[in-house]
Amino acid sequence: MKASRSINDNSKPIYDFGKLIDSFDFAAKKHSFQRRKDPQQSPYINHPIGVAKNLTDAGIYDLATLQAAILHDTVEDTDTTLEEIDQYFGKVVRNIVEECTDNKDLPKDERKRLQIENTPFKSDKAKAVKLADKLYNLRDLQRAVPIGWSFQRVQEYFIWAKRVTDGAKGVNQTLESQLENLYENATFEFEGKTFKCHP
């Protein structure tokens, strides 16, 4: 039996878990030498796993959406191609990953601007991955400021992320509520002082 096509179907579907495991295996190999920017330099694979968990915690069990969450940084941050994603995981997953992939040939500020501009026009599945991705990153920033970041840079990231996630509203109330709570109430510690994440 295949997973439900409804992105917010709260029933846990029975499907080919081998496809999900294949996605974890592929992402783990592609990200094997990468680390996060937190002081602990956490393994990068923690991130896509956490993004997928944010989706299931919010009641999203659609297989292609979960696979895309696990794979969403492989094309942008490793030597993976969209053709590989298509070959191993199919066109639906490939399309979601493509929607979530920035063009690294563009300057960083332009990539960030395009995320704000383009997010409202993404598919619901891509929007869900984006919401779960930003939720993971924001919680990570609240937990530990990356090496070399100032408190202003943390706040700037929160301000930018809100502009992105505002464009993905209407997809999943749980993810949206969790994000809004962070924007309104979250604080972080920096050099012995407490700051609002979103000023």
Side-chain angles (χ1 to χ4, degrees):
M1 182 184 298
K2 292 183 179 180
S4 169
R5 296 179 67 86
S6 171
I7 199 168
N8 290 310
D9 186 347
N10 289 323
S11 62
K12 294 183 180 180
I14 300 171
Y15 49 60
D16 183 359
F17 283 100
K19 292 181 180 178
L20 200 60
I21 298 302
D22 285 345
S23 305
F24 282 120
D25 181 66
F26 185 92
K29 288 174 180 174
K30 291 292 187 174
H31 292 300
S32 59
F33 298 107
Q34 295 177 316
R35 295 280 173 172
R36 296 283 284 174
K37 295 178 181 178
D38 59 333
Q40 295 77 29
Q41 293 188 300
S42 305
Y44 195 92
I45 192 62
N46 291 5
H47 171 64
I49 292 172
V51 173
K53 185 177 188 307
N54 284 344
L55 290 171
T56 58
D57 285 349
I60 297 174
Y61 300 101
D62 174 73
L63 177 58
T65 306
L66 295 178
Q67 287 181 286
I70 296 161
L71 300 164
H72 77 276
D73 276 337
T74 55
V75 174
E76 187 172 321
D77 292 333
T78 77
D79 62 358
T80 306
T81 65
L82 287 169
E83 289 71 27
E84 279 184 274
I85 301 295
D86 198 332
Q87 177 185 352
Y88 292 114
F89 305 104
K91 190 166 293 295
V92 174
V93 175
R94 175 230 165 96
N95 289 345
I96 303 169
V97 171
E98 185 172 15
E99 288 186 87
C100 296
T101 299
D102 287 347
N103 182 353
K104 280 293 191 74
D105 291 332
L106 297 175
K108 185 176 181 180
D109 286 348
E110 178 66 3
R111 299 199 306 267
K112 293 179 76 171
R113 184 190 69 79
L114 287 172
Q115 279 204 42
I116 296 168
E117 183 177 298
N118 294 333
T119 293
F121 307 104
K122 303 292 186 183
S123 67
D124 283 354
K125 293 180 180 186
K127 285 180 179 178
V129 173
K130 279 186 165 292
L131 290 173
D133 178 38
K134 292 296 185 284
L135 180 62
Y136 186 97
N137 285 337
L138 295 173
R139 285 173 170 169
D140 229 21
L141 282 177
Q142 185 186 17
R143 177 185 61 82
V145 175
I147 298 170
W149 281 40
S150 64
F151 77 88
Q152 294 99 330
R153 186 172 176 183
V154 174
Q155 292 177 327
E156 287 167 1
Y157 187 93
F158 268 79
I159 292 168
W160 168 75
K162 185 176 189 307
R163 295 183 68 190
V164 175
T165 58
D166 280 351
K169 286 184 175 179
V171 171
N172 182 274
Q173 186 58 52
T174 299
L175 291 172
E176 292 169 32
S177 296
Q178 290 172 328
L179 284 161
E180 284 303 317
N181 183 56
L182 281 176
Y183 296 139
E184 292 177 12
N185 303 310
T187 60
F188 68 99
E189 300 294 321
F190 183 80
E191 295 183 349
K193 296 181 180 179
T194 301
F195 297 89
K196 278 209 63 158
C197 291
H198 191 287

